[in-house]
Every structure is written in C-alpha cells, then in structure tokens.
Amino acid sequence: MPIDPNSVFLPVRIAVLTVSDTRGLADDRSGDTLIARLSEAGHVLADRRIVRDDVDTIVAVLNGWIDDPGVDCIITTGGTGVTGRDVTPEAVERIADKMIPGFGELFRWLSFQTIGTSTVQSRACACVARGTYIFALPGSTGAVKDGWDGILRDQLDSRHRPCNFVELMPRLMER
C-alpha cells in the first residue's frame, strides 16, 4: 500500500505484552521479534512485560497501560489459541469499548497464506479501550511477523494511504 511522501511520520509509543506460562525475557522470541520490527519502523517501545495466562493479570496490565499517557498502543503476543489456558481475547473483550473485527479477519486471511487451515485455531483480535488501541496476536514468531508485516506496519504508519489507525488517534475518545 502507498506511503504518502508528503506526510510526516509520527512515531507511536507501543507497549508489548507477552502472555505465556512458560516464557521469560531470555526466551521471548515473539516479543523480541515484535520489538525489533516496531523499532525498525521508527516507533517507540513504551514498555514491555511478560505475564502468565490469567485474565485478571492481563486486564490489570492492560488497564495500567491504557491509563498511562506514555502509551498510545498495546500489542500482545500469546494466549489467543483455543486451549483452556488461552485467555487473552477474554481479557481484551473485558475492557474493550469497541472491537475491531476486521483485524482478526485479515490476520487469519494472511496467516492462511502461511499455515493453511491451522489459522482457524487463532483468536487474534483487536479493540479500542478508553482511547488506546490493543492488538492481540498469537504467540509464534511467524504470527507476529504476519501481524506486524501484513497489517500493523502499515496501519501504524501515519503516512499510509488511504487511511491508517494513527490519524484516528486524536478522535478515539469522541462522544
């Protein structure tokens, strides 16, 4: 998609949350991949955390970042599958003001190109919560690449045309 060379790039302050019962900072390849890509694109890493698959814990971290004026956007990785411990979508839905269903739909379409029908196991989702974007990606590095390279890189670039998420940020709290 086209980048308008006459527009100014506006860096987005992005917090990254890895949801996992087994990963720590030393082996969080998906979080590392996401941070490398957002930094390479010119955005700012506002914060990074790793939490266990627990709805209340995830909601607490998300709420803290939503209330932080230094965070414009949150991207999570992990916990979007269908097992009993996968609860990231439930946490996102608990705090969402508006879901963004097209994000999950497009993610699964892109993911289908790489992993075929296994993409139906993904519950990737997105929302706006109190003026902050939240995007929940699966926990594999491939899924993070699909989500960032195929959707978020462009939609979080203020120069992307015909439209992007960044240009809507000042209006997310309108009533």
Side-chain angles (χ1 to χ4, degrees):
M1 291 288 135
I3 296 294
D4 181 354
N6 298 317
S7 294
V8 175
F9 176 79
L10 301 172
V12 177
R13 296 167 299 188
I14 302 170
V16 173
L17 177 64
T18 298
V19 179
S20 175
D21 286 338
T22 59
R23 292 188 193 144
L25 280 176
D27 61 350
D28 180 19
R29 292 189 352 244
S30 295
D32 291 342
T33 298
L34 185 55
I35 290 165
R37 279 173 155 67
L38 71 88
S39 298
E40 181 180 296
H43 299 294
V44 176
L45 177 64
D47 200 354
R48 176 187 192 173
R49 298 210 194 139
I50 299 175
V51 298
R52 296 183 63 75
D53 293 271
D54 175 75
V55 173
D56 292 333
T57 303
I58 297 166
V59 166
V61 172
L62 295 177
N63 277 326
W65 281 339
I66 291 166
D67 293 337
D68 183 343
V71 175
D72 300 315
C73 173
I74 301 165
I75 305 174
T76 73
T77 175
T80 62
V82 297
T83 71
R85 297 288 299 153
D86 292 322
V87 296
T88 303
E90 287 77 12
V92 169
E93 289 169 5
R94 188 183 289 181
I95 60 172
D97 295 321
K98 291 186 180 188
M99 295 302 293
I100 307 172
F103 177 81
E105 294 162 1
L106 180 55
F107 174 82
R108 282 179 284 281
W109 180 81
L110 291 168
S111 179
F112 179 77
Q113 314 302 311
T114 351
I115 65 168
T117 59
S118 295
T119 194
V120 300
Q121 296 178 27
S122 167
R123 297 185 303 138
C125 61
C127 76
V128 176
R130 299 191 315 274
T132 301
Y133 289 114
I134 301 173
F135 303 99
L137 296 170
S140 72
T141 56
V144 166
K145 291 174 186 176
D146 286 346
W148 180 266
D149 298 347
I151 306 170
L152 295 174
R153 179 184 57 210
D154 290 336
Q155 282 299 296
L156 293 177
D157 189 325
S158 56
R159 304 166 298 170
H160 183 266
R161 297 294 173 252
C163 57
N164 60 75
F165 284 132
V166 179
E167 66 190 2
L168 299 176
M169 284 180 174
R171 299 178 49 212
L172 292 177
M173 295 295 289
E174 287 179 344
R175 296 284 174 213

